[in-house]
Amino acid sequence: MTKPRGFEFWRSTLKGARYVVAPMVDQSELAWRLLSRRHGAELCYTPMLHAQVFVRDANYRRENLYSEVNQEDRPLIAQFCANDPEVFIQAALLAQDYCDAIDLNLGCPQMIAKRGHYGVFLQDEWDLLEKMIKLADEKLAVPITCKIRVFPEIEKTVKYAKVLEKAGCQLLTVHGRTKDQKGALTGIASWKHIKAVREAVNIPVFANGNIQHLSDVQRCMEETGVQGVMSAEGNLHNPALFEGCSPPVWEMAEEYLEVVEKHPPCSLSYVRAHIFKLWHHTLQIHQDLREELAKAKNVAGIAEVNRQLKQRCQEEMAKDESEWTRTDLPFPHWICQPYVRPPQGSKKKKSRALEDSDGSNDSLSKNKQKKKARNPNKNFCPELKPKYIKCEQCGNPKGNKCVFSLCRGCCKRKAFKEVADCPGHGLRFKTKALKQCNSDTGGGQSNGKPNSQTVSTAVHDPL
């Protein structure tokens, strides 16, 4: 049977989905997806999965996809980060029976993606991406999709999108921000870039960025012409965003905790993170409950803190409106609503930017100032930090004093195999073998060297 492609895939398999919940690490797990679907979401993605770990670790596969199979949770797209075509296709083949499509993450801008060389840090390697997508399109029984960020130039972004489409991408999600627009520099997503891509390709396009209310979704679709709109932060603060309503935070929390109990297991760290997002504005008022939430040991403990929050908010609601009105929020603080980051430069003292850093405390965050106080010689300027030499075998930073010029893991394997010592990593396989040999022969041999049989026995003893 031929797999559906392009618009046929969007209409038939994805059922013409317009309202989409983004792939979010540790935040778009099964329970949250089911809650979002109850309140208007028509398509969800798994959290970003690491292709290499997915291939080698059966427990990782079971915990992140296999055990979460649920008929209510469809259509579903599984997203992977990868930079190797063979590894990516292996992971996708293992996942394809549990989802409706495989998505390649080309949009993650975080430092972990930079270190791992995936996400948006692959956006200039078009030959590699073309190879990965083409191989996936040929080998998989389900369609391949991509999620990207834009280049500053609209023309380059359009050309990039066309390369992915030609390689075999069947649906493209465009986050209208560049690689550098993150954290304090997030800013506004460019719908002009998204519109240009939509007009240039012949596959469905989803837009991502600037979505805080249902009205934003409708406006985005009108201005860009996209087939659907994806939400991440907006969804986390209000899972009923696509339903067009803003319920009290405790109601969403109660419903989410019920779903968590009904569909275990769900990591408590995920649950706590979701509650913190839902309660973001309320915890600015009831700050003592923040600590209570952090100390909760189980779902029941979180539910009890939610009960306290509900009671306090209802008591506030009974008071005169002037006592609890927050002029800087569109709704009372207990109503689900987005968190809007302050404009860049509005809080200079809290800025974490280090562009002009000369090591002075004024340019450092509070956390780095504490580190500086403990170690006055510590250097935070990226240009002045020492460049690490890579391990010859795996690419991780090598040990500075390693006799083999390897990282500790590779050095340990080599030293064990060759019965050698590495003082730099504190490895003494040769020394231990000699000591064992001497003890077995009653003080050693005339030439000072153990015989091969004794060394072999010593080396293969449990470490």
Side-chain angles (χ1 to χ4, degrees), residues 94-277:
L94 289 169
Q96 66 177 358
D97 292 338
Y98 301 86
C99 59
D100 299 291
I102 299 294
D103 187 78
L104 177 60
N105 184 318
L106 300 176
C108 181
Q110 302 306 320
M111 185 55 66
I112 190 171
K114 184 176 183 178
R115 289 198 297 265
H117 192 55
Y118 57 81
V120 75
F121 299 97
L122 294 177
Q123 70 175 4
D124 289 310
E125 300 185 33
W126 292 5
D127 290 341
L128 172 62
L129 298 181
E130 189 173 5
K131 184 177 180 181
M132 292 175 72
I133 296 167
K134 185 176 182 180
L135 184 63
D137 187 43
E138 292 173 353
K139 300 290 186 181
L140 296 179
V142 297
I144 174 73
T145 69
C146 298
K147 183 173 187 289
I148 67 172
R149 282 192 170 224
V150 300
F151 289 96
E153 307 85 6
I154 292 180
E155 295 78 9
K156 188 174 182 180
T157 303
V158 168
K159 187 176 180 180
Y160 179 38
K162 286 184 174 181
V163 167
L164 301 179
E165 178 189 18
K166 183 178 179 182
C169 176
Q170 302 303 314
L171 184 148
L172 192 61
T173 299
V174 184
H175 186 159
R177 293 186 174 92
T178 65
K179 176 172 60 177
D180 299 321
Q181 285 184 278
K182 59 183 179 179
L185 304 176
T186 296
I188 303 298
S190 170
W191 286 357
K192 290 183 179 179
H193 283 69
I194 299 174
K195 180 180 181 181
V197 170
R198 173 67 203 96
E199 292 175 347
V201 300
N202 296 309
I203 56 175
V205 174
F206 289 161
N208 184 207
N210 304 343
I211 305 302
Q212 298 176 345
H213 304 281
L214 183 59
S215 58
D216 297 326
V217 174
Q218 297 163 343
R219 185 165 55 88
C220 179
M221 294 182 72
E222 290 173 0
E223 291 187 17
T224 63
V226 294
Q227 280 62 51
V229 172
M230 177 182 285
S231 175
E233 285 288 328
N235 166 262
L236 290 177
H237 287 281
N238 180 14
L241 182 153
F242 291 128
E243 203 172 34
C245 64
S246 299
V249 293
W250 65 80
E251 284 187 8
M252 284 290 93
E254 287 174 352
E255 188 174 353
Y256 171 61
L257 295 177
E258 288 174 5
V259 178
V260 168
E261 293 280 22
K262 187 177 179 181
H263 298 278
C266 182
S267 170
L268 192 65
S269 64
Y270 299 177
V271 178
R272 188 181 284 113
H274 277 303
I275 301 301
F276 271 123
K277 287 282 188 181

Side-chain angles (χ1 to χ4, degrees), residues 160-452:
Y160 179 38
K162 286 184 174 181
V163 167
L164 301 179
E165 178 189 18
K166 183 178 179 182
C169 176
Q170 302 303 314
L171 184 148
L172 192 61
T173 299
V174 184
H175 186 159
R177 293 186 174 92
T178 65
K179 176 172 60 177
D180 299 321
Q181 285 184 278
K182 59 183 179 179
L185 304 176
T186 296
I188 303 298
S190 170
W191 286 357
K192 290 183 179 179
H193 283 69
I194 299 174
K195 180 180 181 181
V197 170
R198 173 67 203 96
E199 292 175 347
V201 300
N202 296 309
I203 56 175
V205 174
F206 289 161
N208 184 207
N210 304 343
I211 305 302
Q212 298 176 345
H213 304 281
L214 183 59
S215 58
D216 297 326
V217 174
Q218 297 163 343
R219 185 165 55 88
C220 179
M221 294 182 72
E222 290 173 0
E223 291 187 17
T224 63
V226 294
Q227 280 62 51
V229 172
M230 177 182 285
S231 175
E233 285 288 328
N235 166 262
L236 290 177
H237 287 281
N238 180 14
L241 182 153
F242 291 128
E243 203 172 34
C245 64
S246 299
V249 293
W250 65 80
E251 284 187 8
M252 284 290 93
E254 287 174 352
E255 188 174 353
Y256 171 61
L257 295 177
E258 288 174 5
V259 178
V260 168
E261 293 280 22
K262 187 177 179 181
H263 298 278
C266 182
S267 170
L268 192 65
S269 64
Y270 299 177
V271 178
R272 188 181 284 113
H274 277 303
I275 301 301
F276 271 123
K277 287 282 188 181
L278 284 172
W279 294 356
H280 176 83
H281 299 295
T282 298
L283 289 178
Q284 311 305 309
I285 307 299
H286 302 286
Q287 297 187 11
D288 58 312
L289 292 182
R290 178 184 297 275
E291 186 175 351
E292 293 300 315
L293 176 58
K295 292 191 298 184
K297 302 296 185 183
N298 48 42
V299 174
I302 294 177
E304 171 56 26
V305 182
N306 186 62
R307 187 195 64 77
Q308 296 178 39
L309 178 138
K310 176 180 179 180
Q311 182 177 350
R312 292 190 188 185
C313 290
Q314 288 180 333
E315 290 174 354
E316 286 185 73
M317 293 167 65
K319 298 178 180 178
D320 184 73
E321 182 176 346
S322 61
E323 294 187 32
W324 49 257
T325 299
R326 291 277 303 275
T327 56
D328 57 337
L329 292 175
F331 304 111
H333 62 81
W334 57 75
I335 296 297
C336 287
Q337 56 195 301
Y339 164 64
V340 180
R341 289 185 178 90
Q344 182 186 355
S346 62
K347 295 186 177 182
K348 293 184 179 180
K349 291 184 178 180
K350 293 187 177 182
S351 173
R352 302 178 68 88
L354 297 175
E355 289 85 351
D356 301 320
S357 173
D358 58 356
S360 63
N361 284 354
D362 290 342
S363 61
L364 299 179
S365 67
K366 289 183 178 179
N367 188 37
K368 286 187 171 68
Q369 288 180 34
K370 291 178 181 178
K371 291 180 180 179
K372 188 82 172 177
R374 292 195 296 268
N375 181 6
N377 296 321
K378 192 168 182 66
N379 169 43
F380 292 103
C381 182
E383 290 75 15
L384 299 180
K385 285 189 175 181
K387 303 297 182 183
Y388 291 105
I389 302 175
K390 292 184 178 180
C391 167
E392 296 177 357
Q393 294 186 7
C394 70
N396 287 326
K398 82 172 188 70
N400 290 331
K401 298 181 180 179
C402 177
V403 297
F404 301 117
S405 296
L406 302 174
C407 67
R408 180 173 176 79
C410 294
C411 176
K412 187 173 183 180
R413 287 191 290 271
K414 184 176 179 68
F416 177 78
K417 183 178 181 180
E418 298 183 4
V419 196
D421 287 351
C422 178
H425 281 121
L427 302 175
R428 299 283 189 274
F429 293 110
K430 180 179 179 180
T431 302
K432 289 179 182 178
L434 289 172
K435 287 182 178 179
Q436 180 67 34
C437 177
N438 289 336
S439 65
D440 289 345
T441 58
Q445 300 176 6
S446 59
N447 61 4
K449 296 181 180 180
N451 62 59
S452 60

